[in-house]
Amino acid sequence: MEDKELYRIAEKAFENAYAPYSNFKVGAALLAADGSVFTGVNVENSTYGATICAERAAVAKAVSEGAREFSKIAVASSGGGAWPCGICRQFMYEFSPDLRVITGDDEEHLQAHSLNKLLWKGFRLEQK
Ligand code: THU
């Protein structure tokens, strides 16, 4: 699947974000090795700390459905492009260290980097 198409899915996804505290709605679209796509949104919480980001929501959904290998993730938000936070980088690195991470203000201005670059020398046990 092309980056633009995955990004469009992420854009559509952020409409479902639950972000009453930050008003920053994020959507992620995660492409699995078998071609299936899992979306995620940020789900905030009144404790703030219990908030989950869109990227982790997408990975948790995917793993729950049996997918563990991923090729790309696109992230879109109500505020434009958003690179994944540090916790999400580590969470994704567990499964796919060379994941292609895509974001941008709109589908005509996408940027992409390998997760390996965004989380240089990340920690991972080879046990899957
Ligand atoms: N957030 C994400 O969902 N993903 C990102 O890549 C950046 C941050 C969420 C967490 C919180 O709900 C809101 O954006 C503001 O930080």
Side-chain angles (χ1 to χ4, degrees):
M1 181 182 291
E2 298 220 346
D3 290 0
K4 275 187 189 182
E5 192 181 344
L6 197 63
Y7 180 84
R8 271 183 225 128
I9 296 170
E11 266 187 325
K12 179 79 186 152
F14 82 62
E15 292 169 14
N16 286 333
Y18 176 71
Y21 305 104
S22 71
N23 287 314
F24 189 77
K25 294 184 163 196
V26 186
L30 180 67
L31 181 63
D34 71 355
S36 47
V37 175
F38 298 89
T39 59
V41 298
N42 53 332
V43 183
E44 296 187 343
N45 186 268
S46 55
T47 65
Y48 290 52
T51 293
I52 184 168
C53 295
E55 297 91 328
R56 271 177 290 149
V59 172
K61 268 172 76 177
V63 174
S64 300
E65 299 294 326
R68 291 185 180 178
E69 278 179 55
F70 310 109
S71 55
K72 299 180 179 184
I73 189 168
V75 183
S77 86
S78 53
W83 294 103
C85 78
I87 296 172
C88 288
R89 290 177 196 203
Q90 178 63 37
F91 202 80
M92 298 187 291
Y93 195 88
E94 177 78 12
F95 298 98
S96 300
D98 56 359
L99 186 72
R100 180 174 171 82
V101 182
I102 304 149
T103 193
D105 286 347
D106 58 66
E107 69 177 53
E108 299 303 331
H109 298 89
L110 296 181
Q111 288 187 295
H113 292 292
S114 172
L115 182 56
N116 271 311
K117 182 178 164 189
L118 298 176
L119 188 67
W120 177 237
K121 293 184 186 289
F123 180 77
R124 183 174 188 255
L125 296 177
E126 302 290 334
Q127 59 182 7
K128 281 164 291 295

